[in-house]
Amino acid sequence: MSTSLSGAQAILAYLNKLTAEQQTGEVLIRSRALSAKVYLDQGLIVWAFAAGQRETFQTILISENKLSREAVLEGIQEARKNGKKSLDEILVALGVVEENARVKIITAHTKSAVRTICSWTTAEAEFVAYKKVAPSGVRGLTLDALLAQN
């Protein structure tokens, strides 16, 4: 069931409700032709992306690790082909083995997505519950911590 949201406050309130309830699953948010997804694991945001976000996973990874765009895209495709789905698993497959570096990249990407989502004036949101989203060892962010860093 879809929920209509009007403005950043309503979008944040919806996400806050899901995190407060310690939900696990995927939130699909649509605004006109744009869409975003926010992945929750026991109330923590483990990853988010939004169409039109300024800082993408690829651009952050390229700037942080000085990799070429081609190397990043090839590495992501290869990691996915080998069953790696989470950003953390993909980063390890790309050779980013230092945990703090991975956390920094995922946090920057997620912050960028949340900033983009909050710039939308109207949206429709739908939550789909899952048993598990993040592989063991993947750390998420509370919505409050993410917004404090925004």
Side-chain angles (χ1 to χ4, degrees), residues 41-140:
D41 195 13
Q42 298 178 10
L44 297 176
I45 297 173
V46 292
W47 181 54
F49 80 87
Q53 72 183 79
R54 278 185 54 179
E55 296 171 302
T56 65
F57 180 63
Q58 290 90 347
T59 60
I60 294 166
L61 187 55
I62 291 166
S63 68
E64 289 290 322
N65 291 290
K66 312 298 185 245
L67 299 173
S68 73
R69 177 175 162 73
E70 294 76 23
V72 170
L73 292 176
E74 286 175 21
I76 291 171
Q77 288 174 346
E78 186 64 29
R80 286 185 178 153
K81 198 169 25 173
N82 291 324
K84 310 288 189 225
K85 293 184 180 178
S86 77
L87 287 185
D88 196 60
E89 291 174 317
I90 291 170
L91 286 170
V92 171
L94 287 169
V96 182
V97 294
E98 212 285 306
E99 184 178 358
N100 288 336
R102 294 193 319 269
V103 169
K104 183 179 176 183
I105 291 166
I106 293 168
T107 300
H109 184 272
T110 302
K111 286 171 38 177
S112 177
V114 170
R115 279 193 300 265
T116 300
I117 294 165
C118 288
S119 72
W120 298 346
T121 55
T122 60
E124 292 287 322
E126 185 174 344
F127 176 71
V128 179
Y130 297 144
K131 289 186 180 193
K132 187 78 175 141
V133 171
S136 60
V138 173
R139 291 184 285 169

